[in-house]
């Protein structure tokens, strides 16, 4: 048909026959060079057409010489090129172009390539069979040596191909997922029958052979949930209370815009190390790509917040503490503690009748104690000979109904005290006291007060008033609970009575 067109429409058909194919080769080769960066999928069909036209140019030349065998071979080769070019072009139109245009889900490269190779093989076998009368199928299937040679030569390639098929079926990752395998972390940008390509955070492209991937552990950070838990480690000085450290870290993390609120961040003490108390910080992130940046930002902020709150990140140096007693230093420290205790004792109303000197005497003997939020300081029913003045924080006074049901009957804060009932009466503790927030207290023992109480009975009086009021409150609460229990019992009894009457048909 092509020949007929040339003969009908072109002058000098002989010359046209000779020149038309080289011209087509030049046109297509120029297009291919010009558009080489545009559509790489079009390269192969265009290349095959160029080969076809090139072979046809040679064929037209041989027509003028008497070379029947070369003519036959060229004719066969040209048919093979034309067939392959058409198959590839049709695939380009339907698979590459139309599917993308219609935004259909792309066919995986491996499946497409395997399909294409099969169609190519069938097409070549058919051309050989019907044009050259060569039956390659029987040769291939009967030649064990050929099979073995091909098998050995393609060992690696086949391994990659099979691994590629396994990965396609199992789908441990998709394009766009953040993964880690074979010591590389990156985002998957492509999967072929030979390898999987990823782009690392450093913007390097790594091609990892498929059979290496199937042999290694695959970590997918995007699936099934793109949120992933990041971990940070912070070492803080021994002198800083863990709850203060936890609070600062948690605030910093929770306020960071890239951190997910759920699951909520966690801060755990993981080790009492040589120089520091070590904390593990865990929080949820969706932006895996920027994880190192976010972590660095958080650590940065933690440094500033620690600085403001007086928390210390210690140097990794070994501090040698020489146990040499320095009486002067010791006296200064004791004096400072006494003044701090005195300032806090002055805030307690019942000690108002006492002079500065009396209070200083008590202050010299008391000690500071720290409690973390949630810690039980006093348990109901225990024996006790000490009371506590709250310096910082807050506590809850609790009575229990049964083993588990608790009732908070009072909350006490800075300047208030608790534990005075057992200290003054010698009776067991009347309630349980639990730290509601982190607390610092002054602990006063019975002996610390003995002398002062003897000298100032008005203090005992003021305390007994307070004690009576508290006892009253406590008794009232306990009575209310008893009443409620009695009522509940009565209600239950009446419910049982109704049931029994119904059961025995008593009217
Ligand atoms: P004590 O009995 O030694 O131990 C429990 C403490 O709880 C008690 O001393 C009081 O200090 C405190 N407490 C008991 N009842 C009340 C109350 N109603 N209000 C405030 N504090 C109380």
């Amino acid at each position: 048909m092509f020949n007929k067109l040339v003969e009908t429409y072109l002058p000098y058909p002989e010359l046209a026959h000779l020149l038309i194919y080289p011209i087509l080769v030049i046109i297509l080769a120029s297009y291919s060079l010009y558009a080489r960066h545009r559509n790489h999928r079009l390269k192969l069909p265009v290349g095959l057409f160029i080969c076809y036209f090139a072979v046809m140019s040679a064929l037209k030349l041989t027509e003028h010489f008497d070379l029947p065998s070369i003519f036959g071979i060229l004719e066969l080769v040209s048919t093979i090129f034309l067939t392959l070019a058409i198959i590839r072009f049709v695939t380009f139109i339907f698979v590459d172009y139309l599917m993308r245009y219609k935004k259909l889900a792309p066919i995986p490269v491996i499946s497409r390539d395997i399909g294409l190779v099969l169609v190519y093989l069938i097409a070549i076998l058919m051309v050989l069979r019907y044009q050259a009368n060569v039956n390659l199928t029987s040769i291939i299937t009967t030649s064990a040596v050929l099979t073995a040679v091909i098998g050995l030569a393609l060992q690696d390639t086949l391994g990659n191909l099979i691994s590629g098929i396994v990965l396609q079926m199992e789908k441990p990752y998709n394009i766009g997922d953040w993964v880690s395998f074979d010591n590389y972390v990156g985002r998957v940008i492509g999967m072929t029958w030979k390898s999987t390509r990823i782009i690392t955070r450093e913007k390097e492209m790594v091609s990892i052979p498929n059979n290496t991937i199937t042999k290694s552990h695959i970590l997918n950070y995007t699936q099934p949930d793109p949120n992933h838990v990041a971990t940070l480690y912070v070492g803080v000085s021994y002198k800083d209370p863990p709850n203060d450290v936890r609070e600062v870290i948690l605030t910093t993390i929770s306020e960071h815009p890239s951190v997910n609120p759920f699951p909520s961040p966690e801060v755990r003490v993981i080790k009492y190390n040589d120089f520091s108390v070590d904390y593990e910080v865990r929080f949820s992130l969706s932006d895996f790509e920027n994880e190192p940046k976010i972590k660095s930002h958080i650590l940065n902020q933690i440094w500033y917040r620690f600085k403001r709150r007086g928390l210390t990140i210690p140097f990794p140096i070994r501090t040698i503490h020489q146990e040499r007693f320095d009486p002067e230093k010791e006296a200064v420290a004791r004096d400072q503690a006494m003044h701090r205790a005195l300032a806090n004792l002055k805030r307690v109303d019942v000690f108002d009748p006492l002079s500065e000197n009396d209070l200083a005497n008590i202050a010299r003997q008391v000690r500071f104690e720290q409690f973390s939020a949630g810690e039980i300081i006093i348990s109901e029913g225990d024996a006790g000979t000490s009371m506590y003045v709250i310096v910082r924080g807050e506590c809850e006074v609790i009575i229990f109904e049964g083993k588990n049901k608790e009732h908070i009957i009072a909350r006490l804060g800075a300047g208030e005290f608790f534990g005075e009932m057992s200290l003054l009466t010698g009776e067991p503790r009347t309630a349980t006291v639990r730290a509601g927030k982190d607390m610092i207290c002054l602990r006063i023992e019975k002996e610390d007060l003995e002398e002062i109480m003897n000298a100032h009975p008005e203090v005992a009086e003021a305390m007994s008033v307070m004690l009576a009021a508290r006892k009253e409150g406590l008794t009232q609460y306990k009575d209310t609970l008893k009443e409620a229990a009695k009522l509940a019992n009565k209600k239950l009894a009446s419910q049982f009575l109704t049931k029994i009457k119904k059961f025995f048909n008593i009217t």
Side-chain angles (χ1 to χ4, degrees), residues 143-195:
S143 170
V145 177
L146 188 71
T147 317
V149 170
I150 292 175
L152 274 176
L154 296 181
Q155 208 176 26
D156 261 8
T157 320
L158 283 176
N160 278 326
L161 178 70
I162 290 165
S163 300
I165 294 170
V166 170
L167 288 173
Q168 284 289 338
M169 289 194 310
E170 207 180 291
K171 282 200 182 299
Y173 50 83
N174 284 325
I175 292 183
D177 286 359
W178 275 89
V179 291
S180 137
F181 31 63
D182 200 27
N183 292 332
Y184 290 103
V185 176
R187 192 164 47 81
V188 179
I189 55 160
M191 290 136 83
T192 66
W193 57 271
K194 194 170 162 279
S195 62

Side-chain angles (χ1 to χ4, degrees), residues 7 25 170 190 268 332 371 410 434 440 454 471 473 499:
E7 275 160 25
V25 168
E170 207 180 291
R268 302 174 182 160
V332 171
F371 299 96
R434 182 175 63 197
I440 299 178
N454 280 326
K471 187 83 179 174
K499 269 188 189 168

Side-chain angles (χ1 to χ4, degrees), residues 14-28:
E14 275 301 304
L15 192 63
H17 264 307
L18 266 182
L19 292 182
I20 192 81
Y21 291 109
I23 289 171
L24 283 170
V25 168
I26 292 166
I27 292 171
L28 280 184

Side-chain angles (χ1 to χ4, degrees), residues 130-324:
Y130 295 108
Q131 190 164 335
N133 212 13
V134 178
N135 191 353
L136 265 186
T137 356
S138 57
I139 300 173
I140 291 171
T141 45
T142 50
S143 170
V145 177
L146 188 71
T147 317
V149 170
I150 292 175
L152 274 176
L154 296 181
Q155 208 176 26
D156 261 8
T157 320
L158 283 176
N160 278 326
L161 178 70
I162 290 165
S163 300
I165 294 170
V166 170
L167 288 173
Q168 284 289 338
M169 289 194 310
E170 207 180 291
K171 282 200 182 299
Y173 50 83
N174 284 325
I175 292 183
D177 286 359
W178 275 89
V179 291
S180 137
F181 31 63
D182 200 27
N183 292 332
Y184 290 103
V185 176
R187 192 164 47 81
V188 179
I189 55 160
M191 290 136 83
T192 66
W193 57 271
K194 194 170 162 279
S195 62
T196 293
R197 265 174 286 157
I198 60 171
I199 288 271
T200 64
R201 283 204 183 97
E202 290 71 35
K203 304 288 172 224
E204 289 151 354
M205 192 182 82
V206 189
S207 287
I208 304 161
N210 288 335
N211 53 4
T212 312
I213 297 174
T214 45
K215 274 184 221 151
S216 74
H217 294 278
I218 303 169
L219 242 154
N220 192 327
Y221 300 99
T222 314
Q223 286 184 45
D225 186 349
N227 299 331
H228 118 104
V229 173
T231 314
L232 274 180
Y233 295 94
V234 185
V236 187
S237 158
Y238 269 93
K239 70 178 171 51
D240 299 322
N243 285 350
D244 287 5
V245 175
R246 189 175 285 123
E247 187 204 315
V248 174
I249 298 179
L250 278 178
T251 317
T252 316
I253 293 172
S254 312
E255 284 173 7
H256 198 283
S258 304
V259 173
N260 298 327
F262 301 106
S264 15
E266 281 176 29
V267 179
R268 302 174 182 160
V269 176
I270 49 160
K271 196 173 181 190
Y272 293 115
N273 222 333
D274 286 356
F275 328 100
S276 58
V277 178
D278 289 352
Y279 296 83
E280 184 187 61
V281 187
R282 291 160 66 83
F283 50 94
S284 165
L285 286 181
S286 339
D287 188 358
F288 182 78
E289 183 173 4
N290 289 314
E291 184 180 320
K293 258 194 223 164
I294 297 167
K295 279 181 171 177
S296 148
H297 200 218
I298 288 174
L299 284 176
N300 208 46
Q301 288 192 357
I302 285 177
W303 189 92
Y304 284 100
R305 283 182 192 239
F306 274 12
K307 195 93 182 149
R308 287 199 294 272
R309 283 284 294 264
L311 305 174
T312 322
I313 300 170
F315 294 109
I317 46 166
R318 207 169 284 270
T319 314
I320 312 282
H321 287 283
Q322 287 185 331
E323 289 294 320
R324 196 153 36 94

